[in-house]
Amino acid sequence: MKVFTYSQYIKCIHTFRLNAVMQLAEESREYKLEQQEKKYSHDKLIKNILQNKKEATEFINQFLEPREEVKEKELIRYTNSYITKKYKAKEADLVYRLKNQDIFFLIEHQSSIDNNMPYRILNYCLDIMREWSRNKKIGRNTNYPIIVPIIIYTGEQKWKVPKNFKEKQISNYVFERYNIDLEYNFIDIHKCSKQVLFERDTMFGYAMFLEKAKNNEELHENLSIIINSTKKKENLEELHNIISYLLNRVLDEETQIKLLKEIDKKVGEKEMSTLVERLRRDLQNQRKQARKEGKKEVAENMLSLKLDETIILKATGIKKEELEEIKRNIVVAS
């Protein structure tokens, strides 16, 4: 006897509607990207800047002041795939590792108060250790890694959250030796002077200076100060990018043009035209990446519905290797 099961029904429905789903996913990614271009996102600005290894190196040396300065070639971007689904919504911003050393830098940006921060930092550190130990054989002589947690705070309210996990644990003098002594480094924008932020001529320092602006007039003034202060061509290029894409709905057109002309004057017309073309290409590449991510998202949803892999490959157009990678990531996150 032939029957039409519920699982077959689900398969058919999702296959028939796949094109519509793909289109919606793509449109959603396009919309999100467009919103990012139109809205001045503090999180996005700081995170994008610190994704640059050179900027991250300067940041670590300036604000942590290690006994020996970290060199750019020693810093490696560490994957965020270790974050479990449970903590996915509050994923740590950036993680770096020192080359050939088990020393990690965990960088988290906060624009608002989070009273649960000591617990979050503890969980991030534990997750990094879990990922580190996943492919290691722990022996008698194995030493665990060092993790340096850093919070960058740009909010308006005073941060009153304890900086050490043990301060959030119950007080009991009999068992106080069992308290977890884990403290995070805390950088408060409002306690950083202009001199401190400008002394190394870095985009991170300038981004923090922009965060101090309380209104559009101050933002315009701060941008103008930065343009006239920086001596690096790459910083001027990055400022052009920020004004054109991140601030194009915050600053009025007249102000934008005025600031871009200041950059143009300092960089030179010929070089600026090359820069504008490069930025246009970068934006096109971002759009392509957004579409690709949309397809991966659909493939992940289809895998959760246990659809046949052949159907998934044909419908999404992704490669078999990409599908295998998605499956591996799902296993790691579960």
Side-chain angles (χ1 to χ4, degrees), residues 29-125:
R29 289 279 176 174
E30 288 277 353
Y31 176 75
K32 287 177 185 174
L33 182 61
E34 187 179 351
Q35 292 306 303
Q36 287 171 357
E37 292 160 10
K38 291 179 180 179
K39 184 179 178 183
Y40 178 34
S41 168
H42 299 289
D43 292 329
K44 194 72 174 173
L45 176 59
I46 287 176
K47 185 172 180 179
N48 279 353
I49 287 170
L50 289 179
Q51 280 178 341
N52 182 306
K53 278 208 310 176
K54 186 177 181 181
E55 287 288 339
T57 306
E58 289 280 3
F59 164 73
I60 290 167
N61 289 328
Q62 182 177 8
F63 290 94
L64 294 187
E65 297 181 335
R67 290 181 182 177
E68 291 184 13
E69 285 207 342
V70 172
K71 295 180 175 58
E72 183 185 345
K73 63 182 181 182
E74 295 174 344
L75 211 59
I76 301 169
R77 178 76 186 278
Y78 196 63
T79 176
N80 276 18
S81 64
Y82 64 85
I83 298 294
T84 63
K85 281 188 175 180
K86 186 176 179 181
Y87 301 108
K88 195 172 181 182
K90 294 184 177 180
E91 183 175 319
D93 280 357
L94 290 165
V95 181
Y96 280 98
R97 180 174 68 85
L98 285 184
K99 190 176 182 181
N100 300 324
Q101 296 186 62
D102 290 324
I103 298 175
F104 297 85
F105 299 93
L106 167 66
I107 306 171
E108 172 80 10
H109 174 224
Q110 280 293 126
S111 55
S112 60
I113 302 289
D114 186 346
N115 291 306
N116 200 35
M117 185 53 71
Y119 182 70
R120 279 179 58 193
I121 290 296
L122 175 62
N123 274 290
Y124 289 152
C125 291

Side-chain angles (χ1 to χ4, degrees), residues 86-328:
K86 186 176 179 181
Y87 301 108
K88 195 172 181 182
K90 294 184 177 180
E91 183 175 319
D93 280 357
L94 290 165
V95 181
Y96 280 98
R97 180 174 68 85
L98 285 184
K99 190 176 182 181
N100 300 324
Q101 296 186 62
D102 290 324
I103 298 175
F104 297 85
F105 299 93
L106 167 66
I107 306 171
E108 172 80 10
H109 174 224
Q110 280 293 126
S111 55
S112 60
I113 302 289
D114 186 346
N115 291 306
N116 200 35
M117 185 53 71
Y119 182 70
R120 279 179 58 193
I121 290 296
L122 175 62
N123 274 290
Y124 289 152
C125 291
L126 289 173
D127 280 335
I128 290 173
M129 285 207 181
R130 286 189 196 102
E131 176 65 14
W132 166 87
S133 65
R134 199 157 57 93
N135 297 315
K136 281 185 178 287
K137 187 175 180 181
I138 308 297
R140 186 174 60 182
N141 297 321
T142 304
N143 293 317
Y144 292 99
I146 291 174
I147 301 167
V148 184
I150 308 164
I151 303 293
I152 302 167
Y153 180 60
T154 57
E156 293 296 325
Q157 293 178 292
K158 188 174 180 181
W159 186 272
K160 296 180 181 179
V161 183
K163 298 180 180 67
N164 195 311
F165 185 81
K166 67 181 179 181
E167 293 177 48
K168 291 285 280 184
Q169 290 183 282
I170 60 171
S171 179
N172 188 304
Y173 75 93
V174 177
F175 298 105
E176 65 182 357
R177 62 180 290 191
Y178 300 106
N179 282 350
I180 298 173
D181 189 2
L182 175 64
E183 186 172 357
Y184 57 83
N185 297 275
F186 186 72
I187 299 166
D188 188 343
I189 176 184
H190 301 294
K191 293 184 179 178
C192 296
S193 66
K194 177 186 168 185
Q195 182 182 354
V196 168
L197 296 176
F198 276 50
E199 67 184 358
R200 283 193 177 237
D201 195 7
T202 65
M203 278 308 301
F204 175 79
Y206 295 142
M208 294 284 275
F209 184 61
L210 291 180
E211 292 277 0
K212 286 177 174 282
K214 294 181 175 63
N215 52 51
N216 283 8
E217 188 178 338
E218 279 191 28
L219 183 61
H220 176 193
E221 184 182 338
N222 289 359
L223 278 163
S224 191
I225 290 170
I226 293 169
I227 291 167
N228 289 301
S229 298
T230 184
K231 298 177 177 63
K232 297 178 182 176
K233 178 188 164 188
E234 58 266 32
N235 286 351
L236 290 166
E237 293 179 353
E238 188 61 34
L239 285 165
H240 188 287
N241 195 356
I242 289 167
I243 293 165
S244 299
Y245 300 121
L246 289 178
L247 300 177
N248 68 338
R249 286 299 182 270
V250 177
L251 299 171
D252 59 79
E253 189 176 348
E254 185 181 345
T255 301
Q256 273 188 282
I257 291 170
K258 188 176 179 181
L259 288 166
L260 292 174
K261 280 185 176 179
E262 286 183 40
I263 296 174
D264 189 4
K265 185 178 178 181
K266 200 163 182 180
V267 175
E269 289 183 14
K270 186 177 179 181
E271 290 191 24
M272 185 51 65
S273 61
T274 305
L275 166 63
V276 171
E277 181 56 38
R278 181 178 64 78
L279 292 176
R280 190 179 292 113
R281 286 198 304 270
D282 287 347
L283 186 59
Q284 288 173 348
N285 290 334
Q286 287 175 30
R287 289 185 179 278
K288 286 179 184 176
Q289 184 62 28
R291 292 191 187 97
K292 188 175 180 180
E293 292 299 323
K295 290 180 180 181
K296 286 184 177 180
E297 195 174 305
V298 172
E300 187 175 338
N301 291 336
M302 293 176 75
L303 281 170
S304 68
L305 292 167
K306 305 199 182 302
L307 294 182
D308 188 273
E309 289 186 16
T310 308
I311 295 174
I312 298 174
L313 291 170
K314 188 173 181 181
T316 59
I318 65 173
K319 295 178 181 177
K320 188 170 178 60
E321 307 88 75
E322 292 174 316
L323 186 61
E324 291 300 322
E325 185 185 351
I326 293 168
K327 285 163 64 179
R328 283 195 297 274

